[in-house]
Amino acid sequence: MGKQSNSTKETLVDKLLIEIESNLNNDQFGVDSLAQAVGMSRSSLHRKLNKTLGISTSQFIREYRLKRSLEILTSEDITASETAYRVGFSSPTYFSTCFHNYFGYTPGEAKSGIIADVDNQSLGTSTEILSVDTKNSNTKTIIWASIIVLALCSTYFVYKPFAKKDKVNIGGIQVLDDKSIAVLPLKNLTGNPDLEYISDGMTDAIISRLTKIKTIKKVIPFTSVQSYKKSDKSLKEITQELEVSNILQGNLQMSGNQIKINLQLIHGSSNVHLWSEEYTKEWKSDEIFQLQTEVVEGIAANMNAVIAQDELAEIKKNPTQSKDAYSYYLQGEFQRNKGNELSYSNAINLYGNAIAADSNFVEAYVDMANVWHMGGSVWGFYNEQIAWGNAKVLLEKALKIEPNNERTKEELNTGRFFYDWNFEVVEKFYQKKISNSKQNKPSVISLDYPIKTGRPEETLKAIEYYTLNDPSNVFYPFFKAEAMFYLGATDKANEILTQSDPLYNDNWFYLRESTKLYFYLGEYEKSKIQLEKITTQFPDYPPILMWLNAVYAQMDGNSKVTFQYLAELQNEYDKGSSGSPAWFIALYYGHVKDYERAFEWLQKSYDRHEVELLWLRAEPLLAPIRNDLRYKNIYEKVGFSSINLPIKTPSSN
């Protein structure tokens, strides 16, 4: 394809500048508004601007606002705060930060004439044009013509992108400035261990808000920094492990109804302190959220990361107006992250209290639904269909409150996959998700779903993409090893697990998946080691562990113990327990090549609608019977064929 012509580029530029100028003082006018105004999708507009100018749409808008602010400051008798509002910044403080980062001097210095050299391309004629007498009868025509002239005159000026700092001087050393950060869990210095949920909740909230800033290229999720809560590792070691440049650490204190947070931003590899600040607010919902916003703005400013106007609006968005609802919610999150049956029960009650205090609190609905979902599918705490029924009601309520909430849609489609086996609907959601370059958080739909539907190479692509933002996520190693296994790269799968074992030897999810995958790889001793770790470290004992114990007892020739474990599985099935006991009994008989009994239990698994039956297409132990009509019948009834995925041959993994 040839280069885009200058005339085409200028036509798009003119249209965009006219729209921005027309909405100059509207702080709600952002990327979505601009795209809609010129009849383009957000992604299409971003691609065109990036291709022609090498900048994003948000940067395009921001730079124009800043250039216009300089014109206003140097030509009118107006304060910096008034200028900020005139050019669409809702926060004068944030405006000053952006202005200084871009021009190298403050709005006050620009106003007072201290600056040595102002780029005259932005001044002169264009300033005169905008001072047209608006009382004239031909005002509207003149203004529109003026805006067009301004657009044409300002093209070069507006398109000079922000100076990109490839390197910054830290402590006298030139280091790469890649705008990446890990926020370590705030230390609870309240003197009350029961308030740990507040320090964790504040950490998570800061991280969540930071992820909305696109100029910060990497923000490590809360789940990945939790392991450093009591770690004695140096900041340099943490920086290297998480592959970030900056570390934010701090503590939380409370006195009466007052909350205080002390923070330090540190350049990890050099241990140089970049910034420190103390924030104090009352424990009220509006002040707590204001505190979180101020913290994020401070971090961004000191990382030279510019916040777009639409991003700032998202950062300032309060999830609830109820102090009690937020307190219950943070306690619920603290319990949910413990991941055991008692903590899940506590979390459900606490989320319920949050919803009772604020019936429009979307996050409380979604996280309670997640507890039901995980408790019914992964942990086996609740009856699968009852769990899904409860989760679905919560998610549908959340969507009525906030129809475009992506996390709610993600949770709902995960449930549609696991419990409803609605492949057609989930496939549409999956295709939309993988085509959306804005997605930066991993999920069951992006990692697990493609493996179970025979596309492990797509799981690898997703992991490669998500790892850039979160290299330490516990889900990546076993999903990557799993994908490699199903692609036939068994040596690589083994290597990935071997390297990851020391890092995640206390994580239930990793131990469970690595135990199973080592078994399929024929690494039985490694599998047994992982199995022993999980059974000795964690009290929960789902059917997958009963199955693995039965398999190893059979391989050791201990028929009595084998029978005991099979009896445990049978008992779980008879009780109607979740955790897919019928599926794992079928796998045991697949292992010993008793395929008649395997089919008997596969049918029972289908009748119970067990979630593990979704492994039917990929399961290695069932490869020899994939051409059997009974297998094909179950395959059809589950719904795999509805998305045109051919049954794998016995020789394929």
Side-chain angles (χ1 to χ4, degrees):
M1 293 179 62
K3 291 184 178 180
Q4 189 173 6
S5 68
N6 287 334
S7 60
T8 303
K9 170 177 156 182
E10 288 173 1
T11 300
L12 176 61
V13 168
D14 298 345
K15 289 180 180 178
L16 296 176
L17 291 176
I18 288 170
E19 294 299 335
I20 299 170
E21 180 66 31
S22 299
N23 294 275
L24 188 63
N25 65 350
N26 180 3
D27 65 347
Q28 300 301 310
F29 187 83
V31 175
D32 289 330
S33 303
L34 182 59
Q36 185 177 6
V38 295
M40 298 173 67
S41 69
R42 180 186 179 117
S43 58
S44 296
L45 179 57
H46 173 77
R47 283 195 298 271
K48 289 199 177 215
L49 279 177
N50 192 53
K51 181 178 179 181
T52 57
L53 304 170
I55 60 175
S56 67
T57 311
S58 60
Q59 187 176 354
F60 178 91
I61 297 171
R62 182 174 56 249
E63 288 184 10
Y64 184 81
R65 293 184 188 278
L66 289 170
K67 303 284 186 174
R68 289 286 288 111
S69 73
L70 180 59
E71 294 183 17
I72 293 170
L73 282 168
T74 54
S75 63
E76 298 183 30
D77 184 15
I78 188 172
T79 66
S81 293
E82 291 172 327
T83 303
Y85 297 122
R86 276 271 299 274
V87 297
F89 282 84
S90 59
S91 166
T93 302
Y94 181 61
F95 164 70
S96 295
T97 300
C98 292
F99 190 97
H100 183 267
N101 285 342
Y102 183 60
F103 291 111
Y105 42 82
T106 67
E109 290 171 333
K111 184 71 180 170
S112 62
I114 294 176
I115 55 175
D117 179 32
V118 176
D119 189 339
N120 290 323
Q121 265 181 294
S122 64
L123 304 175
T125 307
S126 60
T127 305
E128 287 178 20
I129 289 171
L130 290 176
S131 61
V132 176
D133 183 0
T134 56
K135 294 180 182 179
N136 189 288
S137 61
N138 294 320
T139 293
K140 188 173 182 180
T141 304
I142 295 172
I143 288 178
W144 277 104
S146 300
I147 291 172
I148 293 173
V149 174
L150 171 66
L152 294 173
C153 292
S154 304
T155 298
Y156 170 77
F157 183 68
V158 170
Y159 289 139
K160 254 174 30 180
F162 274 79
K164 293 184 178 179
K165 294 184 178 180
D166 295 322
K167 292 186 178 181
V168 292
N169 189 298
I170 302 292
I173 304 171
Q174 290 291 317
V175 297
L176 288 176
D177 178 26
D178 65 356
K179 292 184 174 51
S180 58
I181 187 171
V183 180
L184 300 185
L186 296 176
K187 293 180 180 178
N188 173 22
L189 299 185
T190 64
N192 184 354
D194 292 339
L195 296 180
E196 194 83 8
Y197 75 90
I198 296 180
S199 55
D200 277 7
M202 293 297 286
T203 306
D204 195 14
I206 291 169
I207 292 171
S208 177
R209 282 167 163 75
L210 282 172
T211 60
K212 301 180 188 303
I213 305 172
K214 292 183 176 61
T215 51
I216 300 180
K217 300 304 180 184
K218 180 189 295 185
V219 182
I220 304 300
F222 180 67
T223 52
S224 296
V225 297
Q226 275 184 300
S227 60
Y228 296 100
K229 197 170 188 177
K230 298 179 180 179
S231 173
D232 56 1
K233 293 181 178 179
S234 69
L235 292 183
K236 186 173 183 178
E237 289 176 307
I238 296 173
T239 299
Q240 291 172 342
E241 289 181 7
L242 297 177
E243 299 179 14
V244 294
S245 291
N246 304 296
I247 297 286
L248 186 80
Q249 63 178 11
N251 60 67
L252 180 145
Q253 303 172 47
M254 290 192 75
S255 177
N257 204 38
Q258 194 173 70
I259 185 170
K260 181 168 73 174
I261 295 178
N262 292 289
L263 298 174
Q264 296 180 79
L265 183 65
I266 300 168
H267 186 262
S269 60
S270 64
N271 204 36
V272 172
H273 286 236
L274 305 176
W275 168 72
S276 62
E277 189 62 79
E278 178 183 290
Y279 297 87
T280 303
K281 296 288 183 183
E282 291 292 311
W283 181 246
K284 302 174 183 176
S285 61
D286 56 341
E287 290 203 14
I288 291 303
F289 299 138
Q290 183 183 346
L291 181 152
Q292 293 167 0
T293 299
E294 289 177 4
V295 167
V296 169
E297 288 185 297
I299 295 169
N302 285 278
M303 287 178 63
N304 292 319
V306 179
I307 307 174
Q309 290 301 105
D310 54 343
E311 294 168 353
L312 186 61
E314 279 296 305
I315 290 168
K316 288 184 173 182
K317 185 178 178 181
N318 295 347
T320 177
Q321 297 301 320
S322 168
K323 167 192 166 184
D324 290 339
Y326 191 59
S327 181
Y328 283 129
Y329 173 75
L330 291 184
Q331 293 176 66
E333 287 288 272
F334 186 72
Q335 292 293 322
R336 179 171 71 103
N337 288 329
K338 291 182 179 181
N340 60 60
E341 189 167 7
L342 176 60
S343 71
Y344 267 30
S345 177
N346 292 336
I348 288 172
N349 291 330
L350 289 162
Y351 289 135
N353 290 340
I355 292 169
D358 180 1
S359 60
N360 291 317
F361 195 173
V362 170
E363 284 82 356
Y365 286 104
V366 178
D367 285 312
M368 192 199 296
N370 178 260
V371 170
W372 281 114
H373 173 82
M374 296 294 288
S377 61
V378 175
W379 295 101
F381 299 151
Y382 318 120
N383 175 279
E384 291 174 358
Q385 290 304 315
I386 291 176
W388 172 227
N390 291 336
K392 190 188 295 188
V393 168
L394 291 164
L395 295 169
E396 288 172 346
K397 287 181 179 178
L399 280 179
K400 285 183 179 179
I401 299 167
E402 198 172 316
N404 294 319
N405 188 289
E406 286 301 319
R407 185 160 173 251
T408 307
K409 294 178 183 178
E410 178 80 42
E411 197 74 33
L412 186 59
N413 279 280
T414 301
R416 287 167 174 163
F417 174 51
F418 275 106
Y419 301 103
D420 290 344
W421 300 346
N422 194 335
F423 286 85
E424 291 182 81
V425 170
V426 176
E427 180 67 18
K428 290 177 182 177
F429 179 78
Y430 171 68
Q431 292 298 332
K432 183 178 179 181
K433 183 176 179 66
I434 63 176
S435 64
N436 186 349
S437 61
K438 294 188 297 180
Q439 295 291 339
N440 59 5
K441 293 184 179 180
S443 64
V444 169
I445 297 298
S446 58
L447 300 178
D448 187 48
Y449 176 73
I451 291 180
K452 287 177 176 172
T453 53
R455 293 166 284 185
E457 68 283 353
E458 294 187 14
T459 294
L460 289 179
K461 288 180 183 178
I463 291 172
E464 182 179 2
Y465 173 73
Y466 292 128
T467 301
L468 296 174
N469 195 51
D470 183 15
S472 62
N473 191 305
V474 68
F475 291 99
Y476 300 154
F478 66 71
F479 272 120
K480 186 174 182 179
E482 207 163 56
M484 287 294 185
F485 169 73
Y486 284 107
L487 287 168
T490 54
D491 289 343
K492 184 62 177 176
N494 196 353
E495 178 187 338
I496 293 168
L497 292 179
T498 302
Q499 291 176 348
S500 303
D501 286 347
L503 301 175
Y504 306 106
N505 58 19
D506 59 350
N507 184 280
W508 191 90
F509 289 100
Y510 178 81
L511 291 174
R512 182 190 68 164
E513 293 303 314
S514 60
T515 300
K516 181 180 75 169
L517 194 49
Y518 272 135
F519 167 71
Y520 289 140
L521 289 166
E523 297 286 347
Y524 302 127
E525 291 307 313
K526 289 182 179 180
S527 177
K528 289 179 181 179
I529 290 171
Q530 301 297 79
L531 182 58
E532 184 179 4
K533 287 178 184 177
I534 198 170
T535 53
T536 55
Q537 291 185 55
F538 302 94
D540 301 298
Y541 186 52
I544 186 174
L545 303 186
M546 301 174 192
W547 162 64
L548 286 162
N549 277 320
V551 166
Y552 284 126
Q554 184 275 331
M555 292 173 68
D556 292 339
N558 195 331
S559 58
K560 182 178 179 181
V561 175
T562 302
F563 177 78
Q564 289 174 349
Y565 287 124
L566 287 175
E568 286 182 346
L569 280 168
Q570 174 81 55
N571 184 50
E572 292 300 311
Y573 173 79
D574 291 340
K575 290 191 304 182
S577 301
S578 57
S580 304
W583 167 260
F584 287 112
I585 295 175
L587 289 196
Y588 172 81
Y589 287 117
H591 164 69
V592 298
K593 296 180 171 53
D594 185 346
Y595 297 122
E596 290 303 314
R597 301 195 73 177
F599 273 121
E600 175 189 341
W601 283 99
L602 283 176
Q603 184 60 48
K604 290 180 178 180
S605 181
Y606 172 79
D607 292 340
R608 284 278 179 89
H609 215 88
E610 291 182 337
V611 297
E612 291 291 334
L613 194 61
L614 290 169
W615 278 110
L616 183 69
R617 186 182 192 281
E619 175 54 51
L621 293 175
L622 301 180
I625 58 174
R626 285 184 185 138
N627 287 330
D628 191 296
L629 289 177
R630 290 170 292 180
Y631 175 93
K632 292 181 178 180
N633 181 47
I634 296 174
Y635 182 95
E636 290 288 332
K637 290 193 294 183
V638 171
F640 285 98
S641 60
S642 65
I643 52 174
N644 299 317
L645 295 172
I647 297 177
K648 302 173 91 173
T649 63
S651 60
S652 60
N653 285 321

